[in-house]
Amino acid sequence: MTPEECIVSLELPAAARVDLRVPKKQLTESGGFTPRDRRRLQDHVDELRWVAALKPANTGLAQYSDEERDYAEIVVLALQVRGVELDSSAGRRTQILIHRAIPYPLALIAADSRTTGLSLAHKRLARGGERHTVLEEEPALVCLPQSRAESELLAPFRDSLALSRLGARDLYALYDAWLVRLTALRAARLSGRFRLPRAPADAQAQRAALRVCDTLNARMLALRRRARSEKQVARQVALNLEFQRLRAEFEAAHRSL
């Protein structure tokens, strides 16, 4: 799936299209970055393009506002990185920095030399009376399936993204619907089937189960590395028992995806 195919799948209104290049200097001077972060953006952002600005006037969807959030606009950007892969730690950090730099909820469609990625993250107003926005949590970052084996997962995901199929009443609901679909794709890469939640509680349960699977998988990988270097038999047995316990927890969470 190419970045342009991803953009097309969103079925963005023509009136929302911007198609302007974002100067890198404007990005790095947005504030709040360490010198190391600015260097990362300078080194790894090849091109950043402002694809669209979704607003009530061009979507027919209401603005959403409460004590914590103000969704008056959703920005869609296309990022081309260089010298880094999207799923590497440096690639992920670059995408997170761009989410931090943009004051609006952002749908970031990224590409490296071999794959396309999509990332989303809800934003809220900063506490303490300040008017700038902050990320509610780390962005959900997904490299879109490229292999033939994953094509069955990608097709229903791609078909579910169009604005006309989301049934959203306001911009917050629109953005959350995209995030639900991104989470469902991440879950599908573990479960082997793409399943959209039927209700908000189901979506929360799917997201929670995915977080548990991610955490347990990281812990199991760490245990494997420790077991390979462990010389004492008794300690090897203990590590194996711990691994089996984590594996059972992982399978229980996996079944709920």
Side-chain angles (χ1 to χ4, degrees):
M1 191 175 191
T2 66
E4 193 56 39
E5 288 172 339
C6 186
I7 293 170
V8 170
S9 70
L10 301 179
E11 293 187 7
L12 302 172
R17 296 299 293 260
V18 178
D19 293 322
L20 291 175
R21 183 176 176 274
V22 179
K24 194 182 302 185
K25 182 177 181 181
Q26 179 179 337
L27 181 68
T28 57
E29 291 181 351
S30 60
F33 291 138
T34 66
R36 183 178 182 181
D37 286 339
R38 290 192 181 93
R39 287 195 300 272
R40 189 186 300 279
L41 290 171
Q42 287 287 352
D43 292 342
H44 298 315
V45 173
D46 187 34
E47 182 181 58
L48 188 63
R49 184 163 55 92
W50 187 4
V51 177
L54 302 172
K55 304 178 182 181
N58 57 44
T59 62
L61 302 176
Q63 175 180 347
Y64 179 87
S65 180
D66 61 21
E67 293 181 354
E68 291 191 333
R69 303 179 186 89
D70 185 7
Y71 279 52
E73 179 177 340
I74 296 172
V75 172
V76 181
L77 296 181
L79 166 68
Q80 180 67 47
V81 299
R82 65 184 180 196
V84 69
E85 294 182 349
L86 294 178
D87 56 359
S88 68
S89 59
R92 294 175 67 85
R93 180 62 180 171
T94 300
Q95 294 171 81
I96 290 171
L97 290 175
I98 293 175
H99 274 277
R100 286 176 50 196
I102 305 301
Y104 302 101
L106 169 63
L108 181 62
I109 301 165
D112 58 22
S113 60
R114 61 181 180 84
T115 192
T116 301
L118 177 63
S119 60
L120 300 157
H122 274 304
K123 292 184 176 178
R124 61 170 175 79
L125 297 172
R127 298 187 174 94
E130 300 179 34
R131 292 302 301 170
H132 68 272
T133 59
V134 296
L135 297 177
E136 286 192 19
E137 58 185 2
E138 288 291 285
L141 309 170
V142 174
C143 287
L144 301 177
Q146 298 291 314
S147 67
R148 182 177 299 178
E150 290 187 305
S151 60
E152 293 184 1
L153 304 179
L154 181 59
F157 168 75
R158 182 183 60 237
D159 293 342
S160 74
L161 294 175
L163 266 66
S164 60
R165 300 185 181 184
L166 299 180
R169 296 182 178 181
D170 55 57
L171 291 176
Y172 176 82
L174 165 62
Y175 194 85
D176 194 61
W178 277 342
L179 189 56
V180 164
R181 282 149 178 77
L182 193 64
T183 300
L185 178 61
R186 294 178 62 213
R189 302 183 89 168
L190 290 176
S191 68
R193 62 189 178 95
F194 181 80
R195 180 183 68 86
L196 281 177
R198 296 181 179 180
D202 191 18
Q204 292 175 4
Q206 187 181 59
R207 183 178 297 184
L210 184 59
R211 283 198 297 265
V212 170
C213 286
D214 288 342
T215 299
L216 291 174
N217 189 53
R219 291 175 63 185
M220 287 189 293
L221 289 174
L223 275 178
R224 282 176 176 169
R225 288 193 294 268
R226 289 174 57 189
R228 283 196 296 265
S229 61
E230 182 59 55
K231 304 299 182 183
Q232 296 183 8
V233 175
R235 187 56 184 161
Q236 288 177 347
V237 172
L239 289 173
N240 183 61
L241 289 174
E242 176 67 7
F243 180 87
Q244 295 303 324
R245 184 185 68 80
L246 293 178
R247 181 68 185 177
E249 292 183 17
F250 177 87
E251 290 176 354
H254 182 271
R255 286 192 295 269
S256 65
L257 291 175

